[in-house]
Amino acid sequence: MDIFRSLKYRNFKLFFYGQSVSLIGTWMQKTAVSWLVYQLTGSAVLLGIVSFVSLIPSLILSPYAGSYIDRHNRFKVLVGTQVISMLQAGALAAMIYFRFYNMSGIILLSLIQGITNAFDVTCRQSLMVEMVDNKEDLPNAIALNSTMTNMARIAGPALAGIILSTLGEDFCFISNFLSYIAVLTCLFMMKLNTAIVNRPQKDIWTELKEGFHYVASDRDISSLIVMLTISSLFVIPFNTLMPIFAKDLFHGSAKTFSWFESAAGLGSVFSAVYLAYLKSSKGLIKIMAGASLLFSLSVLLLAYAKVLPIALLFMTFTGVGMMAQTSSINTFIQTHSASHMRARAISYFVMAYQGMIPVGSLLIGLLAGAVGPRMAVCVEGMIGIVATLCFVLYRNRVESGRMLGRKSTLAGTSI
């Protein structure tokens, strides 16, 4: 089928299968950690702190990670991040298995995971172009990768909900540890013609400045990254409060919480499949704007949903919007960046996406403690709507300026 056309490339197919298994384990662990932390502490603030430390390294380290990856063998960096992630998962699994429920230990291991992910996500995204022989199939590969990620987001929390209520949380953590065997096996089976990296004469701080100036000078890329930054800081963190929605507002269990995660994942898959069918990367900015509006409106409606089925419906729409928003920005950056700047451009995407979410998670945890979870989520939805309208107005001005520039050029040529 046309939607699966990038799977004909052996390297991408191995990457796809290995990550499929590993990401299910990752989402099982993520769901179990959120539920365990809230069950042990009953604190929205601690939920925000755990999310904060697991993602804040992306804000601080992503630009450095992009420059580092541009200077080193990307495949070796990827293998290294997977090994470290496996060890981190093993340490967390051992802690839970022996009933050593220590919040400081959970926070420390979450921080280690965040540091590793700052390099891992940037590396995986920048390496994808080398897994697909025909670059016209790159948008399809990115969309399929997003589909796989969000299928895992459905399966992982669903399995976690069943396992938490039957076998216990330790089985979730052990399963994530074992899942890294699959991704490492597939990585070692790949045959990538990774170019030998000639270490540049410039120091890494000079490269950091070049990366910033490259992104800032491109109006399309910079405006998308600013929009993603606002969304990651003020809208996407609404998900931090879903354990509270499941347990306190809808009087549910771990299984109820897993339904919220799975509903968002289901919506994300719908978006990913749509993006995978796209023949080119044209129109991505318009798709992003529409998706951002849908996402923010769904968050606003979710805030005051009174019955669980309606809340899960709006949660599904948040998945549709958020997935289309982030994936279209990712695809645009990968397909429009200069090859020697790709990793650095992607690193700013990772910083704006994963790096700002922890700050937002901490803020919404504090806001929910002050005004309640429903009002906190409502505020996030309203901020998203305003930000999207401002982005559309800015894009219209940019396009009008470009059209005037073209007309002036044509007039000058005719003279």
Side-chain angles (χ1 to χ4, degrees), residues 295-352:
F295 176 36
S296 302
L297 184 60
S298 301
V299 170
L300 180 63
L301 294 173
L302 171 66
Y304 289 102
K306 299 298 183 183
V307 294
L308 183 59
I310 298 299
L312 293 175
L313 176 64
F314 290 138
M315 194 69 184
T316 303
F317 283 119
T318 68
V320 174
M322 186 174 69
M323 166 63 208
Q325 179 194 61
T326 56
S327 187
S328 57
I329 294 173
N330 182 13
T331 304
F332 186 92
I333 292 173
Q334 291 214 42
T335 53
H336 289 76
S337 298
S339 59
H340 67 288
M341 286 287 185
R342 184 175 293 114
R344 275 170 276 183
I346 291 170
S347 72
Y348 280 95
F349 165 83
V350 175
M351 182 174 69

Side-chain angles (χ1 to χ4, degrees), residues 85 110 116 135 147 160 189 191 199 231 269 272 300 309:
S85 295
S110 297
T116 307
K135 301 307 175 270
T147 305
M189 290 173 65
K191 296 178 181 178
R199 296 180 185 275
S231 183
V269 169
L300 180 63

Side-chain angles (χ1 to χ4, degrees), residues 1 96 113 166 199 202 268 322 363 403:
M1 291 178 64
I96 304 304
Q113 181 188 38
T166 54
R199 296 180 185 275
K202 301 173 185 175
S268 298
M322 186 174 69
L363 289 174
M403 288 181 66

